[in-house]
């Protein structure tokens, strides 16, 4: 009887600690208490290793953006950055002073000019462009991926990296420790023996020891000679070419960038390199001067648990709030935080066309259930949901009127907003927005709508599973 009372006291104390530590995030507190009730012995252990805020470690917090503050200032002075609203080339921004102030004055990276972008809507096109640019490298190649596999396309990347390293090009690669957990040691050693520098971002042992298992580097970056950059949804693996039978055709969106925006891809890579390797590569020579190859304006937004604000989430909320005509979103994982959820609902009720494309076949049963739990009420408000049936849609795209579009690594979910290291390119050029609009319309043609009446008639069992997944959604 005494031991039972002791266990009950421990249980009560743990609930009190969750309420005390998570009082700023009620959804997260409810999720952890649900886990605790579901599995009392395991709950405290999971909370200890997964729930600790990244920001509590000041050493890790300051070995990021603050470390390169001086270099960031130099880049602003030598880049074609926008200083006034009147400098925005897109006429849609004339009356968007509030959104402009948020993006231009409160984001870490400025809006840059003199850019040229290329949009790729498949892995085959994007990987071909990456490998071609890597072959042309003369000084350095920097790669950063959440997942890197040693399959056919991974081996193709490795061959280029090895060849360029032997030619004297500096080749550096970061892989996420959990996302690339299955990458074979022999594959990595072969790269290192050829002179490629490889580091894993928070490897599992380090993540467990430092209680950082829940914080992953989800960015996808390639920078060649500081002049050409790539960012978007693609990791390196044959599944991103549509070669996995289980997932079938893989639909993604990736960008090639040239211009001042590449400097901020580079800077983000160097910040992550510092965190992963401990090496400070803040050398101005990695940011070569260039003549602007284009006229597009682009902004690179980054967010992560080592930053004091959630910039990508703030951008999404504010962009949705100012929309007048349309909000088009494609995301493989749709688990919006309460503010974005309310912004989408309010926009639809106000007559704005809100369309969300999500996968019909998901790679995560739990995430799909959680996503569907948000659908019914938004359908009633007028939000249109469609499910992509041609294969698996992994693109992370948002289009707001003809005002802006975003392409990057962040999903429309709380994990991307608050837990992962993410990156998004904001695009303001009307022609680029029109290109993404064309892709979106094709995706709509390859999708089936979720009809409100049919969706409301799904089984109680299905609704129950969605409810349980919804309770866990702040942690997914």
């Amino acid at each position: 009887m005494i031991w039972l009372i002791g266990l009950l006291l421990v249980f009560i104390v743990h609930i009190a600690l969750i309420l005390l530590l998570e009082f700023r995030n009620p959804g997260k507190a409810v999720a952890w208490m649900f886990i605790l009730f579901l599995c009392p012995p395991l709950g405290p252990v999971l909370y200890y290793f997964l729930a600790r805020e990244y920001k509590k470690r000041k050493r890790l917090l300051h070995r990021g953006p603050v470390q390169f503050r001086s270099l960031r200032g130099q880049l602003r002075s030598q880049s074609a950055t926008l200083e006034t609203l009147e400098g925005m080339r897109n006429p849609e921004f004339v009356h968007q002073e509030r959104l402009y102030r948020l993006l231009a004055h409160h984001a870490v990276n400025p809006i840059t000019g003199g850019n040229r972008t290329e949009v790729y809507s498949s892995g085959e096109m994007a990987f071909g462009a990456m490998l071609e640019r890597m072959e042309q490298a003369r000084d350095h190649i920097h790669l950063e991926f959440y997942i890197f596999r040693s399959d056919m396309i991974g081996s193709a990347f490795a061959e280029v990296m090895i060849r360029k390293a032997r030619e004297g090009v500096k080749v550096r690669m970061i892989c996420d420790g959990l996302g690339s957990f299955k990458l074979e040691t022999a594959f990595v050693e072969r790269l290192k023996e050829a002179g490629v520098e490889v580091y894993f971002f928070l490897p599992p042992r380090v993540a467990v020891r430092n209680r950082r298992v829940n914080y992953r580097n989800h960015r996808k970056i390639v920078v060649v000679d500081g002049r050409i950059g790539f960012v978007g949804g693609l990791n390196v693996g044959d599944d991103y070419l549509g070669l996995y039978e289980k997932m079938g055709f893989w639909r993604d969106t990736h960008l090639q960038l040239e211009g001042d925006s590449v400097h901020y891809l580079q800077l983000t890579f160097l910040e992550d390199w510092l965190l992963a390797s401990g090496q400070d590569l803040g050398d101005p020579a990695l940011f070569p001067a260039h003549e602007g190859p284009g006229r597009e304006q682009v902004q690179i937004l980054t967010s992560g648990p080592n930053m004091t604000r959630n910039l990508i989430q703030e951008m999404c909320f504010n962009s949705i709030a100012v929309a007048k005509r349309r909000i088009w979103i494609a995301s493989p994982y749709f688990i919006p935080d309460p503010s974005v959820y309310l912004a989408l609902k309010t926009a639809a009720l106000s007559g704005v066309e809100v369309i969300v494309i999500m996968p019909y076949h998901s790679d995560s049963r739990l995430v799909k259930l959680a996503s569907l739990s948000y659908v019914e009420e938004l359908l009633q408000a007028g939000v249109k949901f469609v499910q992509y049936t041609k294969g698996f849609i992994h693109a992370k795209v948002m289009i707001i009127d003809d005002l802006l579009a975003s392409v990057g690594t962040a999903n429309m979910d709380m994990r991307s907003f608050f837990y992962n290291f993410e990156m998004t390119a904001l695009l303001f050029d009307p022609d680029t927005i029109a290109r993404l609009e064309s892709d979106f319309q094709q995706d709509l043609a390859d999708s089936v709508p979720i009809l409100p009446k049919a969706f409301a008639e799904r089984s109680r069992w299905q609704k129950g599973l969605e409810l349980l997944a919804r309770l866990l959604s702040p942690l997914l």
Side-chain angles (χ1 to χ4, degrees):
M1 180 62 72
I2 295 178
W3 66 267
L4 190 60
I5 295 173
L7 287 176
L8 181 60
L9 288 174
V10 170
F11 186 78
I12 293 172
V13 167
H14 192 70
I15 290 177
L17 283 173
I18 290 176
L19 293 174
L20 179 66
L21 295 174
E22 307 294 349
F23 72 94
R24 287 189 175 90
N25 193 335
K28 188 177 176 184
V30 170
W32 278 113
M33 285 193 290
F34 175 68
I35 291 174
L36 187 63
F37 277 100
L38 197 66
C39 189
L42 189 60
V45 176
L46 290 175
Y47 185 81
Y48 179 84
F49 284 107
L50 298 179
R52 180 176 170 84
E53 281 194 39
Y54 193 101
K55 298 182 180 70
K56 297 296 184 183
R57 283 293 182 90
K58 293 183 179 180
R59 181 177 66 85
L60 289 174
L61 176 63
H62 292 299
R63 289 176 64 187
V66 176
Q67 189 83 14
F68 293 94
R69 184 175 291 165
S70 175
L71 180 56
R72 194 179 293 277
Q74 293 178 37
L75 290 179
R76 277 184 177 265
S77 65
Q78 74 182 48
S79 301
T81 59
L82 268 71
E83 302 297 337
T84 64
L85 176 60
E86 289 71 24
M88 293 295 295
R89 296 179 58 84
N90 188 334
E92 292 275 321
F93 260 88
V94 171
H95 302 295
Q96 297 297 344
E97 184 175 352
R98 189 182 70 179
L99 178 62
Y100 171 79
R101 284 202 307 267
L102 173 76
L103 297 177
H105 302 306
H106 296 287
V108 176
N109 300 328
I111 300 171
T112 64
N115 297 285
R116 181 167 60 205
T117 65
E118 185 75 29
V119 178
Y120 300 108
S121 55
S122 72
E124 183 177 4
M125 292 190 296
F127 289 141
M130 289 183 219
L131 291 170
E132 180 182 357
R133 293 297 193 174
M134 288 166 60
E135 290 279 12
Q136 298 168 358
R138 295 292 177 265
D139 184 73
H140 64 270
I141 300 171
H142 291 162
L143 304 98
E144 180 172 347
F145 287 98
Y146 176 65
I147 296 172
F148 198 103
R149 306 193 197 281
S150 59
D151 49 20
M152 182 184 70
I153 190 63
S155 297
F157 269 77
E159 292 303 321
V160 176
M161 286 190 281
I162 289 170
R163 183 162 58 254
K164 300 307 291 187
R166 287 173 176 166
E167 291 176 6
V169 174
K170 286 288 186 182
V171 184
R172 304 179 178 98
M173 183 170 75
I174 304 171
C175 297
D176 183 75
L178 186 62
S180 299
F181 178 71
K182 295 181 180 180
L183 191 60
E184 296 89 344
T185 301
F187 184 88
V188 176
E189 289 302 317
R190 181 166 170 258
L191 292 173
K192 290 181 176 180
E193 288 171 4
V196 179
E197 297 181 69
V198 182
Y199 284 91
F200 286 87
F201 194 97
L202 285 179
R205 289 183 182 179
V206 175
V208 170
R209 184 173 67 247
N210 291 330
R211 295 158 60 190
R212 296 291 178 273
V213 178
N214 203 33
Y215 302 104
R216 310 315 318 172
N217 192 319
H218 197 240
R219 293 169 182 157
K220 295 94 176 170
I221 301 172
V222 175
V223 176
V224 178
D225 291 344
R227 299 177 184 274
I228 307 294
F230 294 86
V231 66
L234 290 167
N235 290 294
V236 177
D238 287 352
D239 42 342
Y240 297 88
L241 286 167
L243 299 180
Y244 280 18
E245 185 177 347
K246 178 182 177 181
M247 300 308 298
F249 177 79
W250 192 281
R251 168 71 179 90
D252 223 316
T253 300
H254 218 78
L255 293 177
Q256 176 182 285
L257 299 173
E258 298 176 74
D260 289 336
S261 60
V262 178
H263 287 167
Y264 294 93
L265 294 182
Q266 182 84 293
L267 187 59
T268 303
F269 176 87
L270 298 185
E271 291 168 351
D272 291 346
W273 185 262
L274 177 63
L275 285 169
S277 71
Q279 301 172 12
D280 185 344
L281 298 179
D283 184 353
L286 294 172
F287 303 86
H290 59 84
E291 295 183 5
R295 303 182 66 193
E296 296 182 49
Q297 294 172 330
V298 177
Q299 184 176 28
I300 302 299
L301 289 184
T302 57
S303 66
N306 65 332
M307 301 177 71
T308 55
R309 290 172 51 210
N310 304 306
L311 293 172
I312 293 178
Q313 184 261 359
E314 291 175 6
M315 178 277 295
C316 289
F317 172 79
N318 279 274
S319 298
I320 292 168
V322 303
K324 297 178 180 179
R325 183 169 61 85
R326 68 174 176 185
I327 301 165
W328 289 1
I329 295 169
S331 179
Y333 314 116
F334 181 79
I335 304 178
D337 74 294
S339 63
V340 171
Y341 177 86
L342 184 58
L344 289 171
K345 181 179 177 181
T346 304
L349 289 170
S350 302
V352 177
E353 180 184 57
V354 184
I355 304 177
V356 179
I357 301 178
M358 54 201 308
Y360 183 82
H361 300 289
S362 178
D363 60 345
S364 171
R365 171 69 171 161
L366 182 60
V367 171
K368 182 176 181 179
L369 287 169
S371 296
L372 291 175
S373 73
Y374 291 87
V375 168
E376 186 165 1
E377 187 176 351
L378 290 176
L379 281 173
Q380 293 171 356
V383 177
K384 300 174 184 176
F385 285 89
V386 301
Q387 293 181 309
Y388 188 79
T389 56
K390 185 177 178 179
F392 180 67
I393 188 165
H394 191 251
K396 301 99 166 44
V397 175
M398 181 173 69
I399 302 172
I400 303 295
D401 296 338
D402 293 318
L403 183 70
L404 62 82
S406 67
V407 174
T409 70
N411 299 302
M412 190 63 68
D413 68 0
M414 286 183 266
R415 168 156 292 283
S416 285
F417 289 158
F418 305 122
Y419 302 130
N420 286 346
F421 292 80
E422 301 280 7
M423 169 176 283
T424 286
L426 283 187
L427 309 168
F428 306 101
D429 182 73
D431 290 339
T432 305
I433 295 172
R435 167 71 169 82
L436 292 166
E437 176 184 359
S438 177
D439 284 349
F440 195 93
Q441 289 174 334
Q442 180 59 54
D443 294 336
L444 288 177
D446 294 326
S447 304
V448 295
I450 297 179
L451 302 177
K453 183 178 180 180
F455 190 75
E457 292 174 353
R458 66 199 188 285
S459 69
R460 291 184 179 179
W461 173 251
Q462 174 72 16
K463 292 179 180 180
L465 291 176
E466 291 173 9
L467 175 61
L468 293 177
R470 175 73 168 263
L471 289 173
L472 294 172
S473 63
L475 309 180
L476 296 179

